[in-house]
Amino acid sequence: MRKGRMHEKNYFCLVVAVIIVAVILGGAVGFLVGRGNSVRPVEFERTNRELTATVGELRTELDRERTITEGLRSKQDEERVLIGNALDACRRAGGGVQGVIAKMEILNDLIRGLESRAGGGAGISGGE
């Protein structure tokens, strides 16, 4: 049985030695193929230019998004004012049949105004 254990130890040592030699040879081949540079130097200037361009594009896109958001906010503010004015007019229209008719006309005008601002056209006629 001792002989079997000796062979196992020899095989283990042989495998470890082969792995070490393979790593050393791989490093040597890599060194020769890489012309002495085991790690290629990063092209900092090109990388810096690419990053600068990307940051510039992101800033441009962010500015565009801010402009769109500000435009939407101002549009919404104007629409809130229109809706508020229409609701105030409806409150002042009074009651009875004439008041209901006046409220319907005010609301129809509001809807038409909002549709025209949105560029849509649901086609609501004045009689509806």
Side-chain angles (χ1 to χ4, degrees):
M1 269 248 259
R2 271 189 147 193
K3 215 175 192 184
R5 285 188 172 222
M6 289 299 278
H7 285 305
E8 287 177 14
K9 287 182 182 179
N10 287 341
Y11 285 130
F12 180 73
C13 290
L14 180 64
V15 168
V16 170
V18 167
I19 291 173
I20 291 172
V21 168
V23 168
I24 292 171
L25 286 175
V29 169
F31 183 79
L32 292 173
V33 169
R35 297 186 189 120
N37 297 325
S38 58
V39 178
R40 288 187 176 177
V42 179
E43 297 174 6
F44 292 111
E45 292 178 15
R46 191 182 102 218
T47 304
N48 192 24
R49 282 193 306 267
E50 290 175 358
L51 286 174
T52 302
T54 302
V55 168
E57 291 171 7
L58 289 173
R59 284 185 180 157
T60 303
E61 187 66 27
L62 184 61
D63 290 342
R64 192 174 323 153
E65 291 294 326
R66 282 183 186 150
T67 303
I68 291 170
T69 303
E70 289 172 6
L72 289 174
R73 274 194 198 124
S74 68
K75 223 177 185 184
Q76 288 173 344
D77 290 342
E78 292 170 2
E79 290 171 354
R80 282 188 196 105
V81 169
L82 287 175
I83 292 170
N85 291 341
L87 290 175
D88 287 341
C90 285
R91 284 186 198 108
R92 289 188 307 263
V97 175
Q98 292 297 328
V100 171
I101 292 172
K103 289 175 186 175
M104 287 178 62
E105 288 177 3
I106 292 168
L107 292 176
N108 279 335
D109 289 341
L110 173 65
I111 290 170
R112 274 195 224 98
L114 292 175
E115 283 179 346
S116 66
R117 291 173 64 81
I124 297 178
S125 66
E128 296 178 17

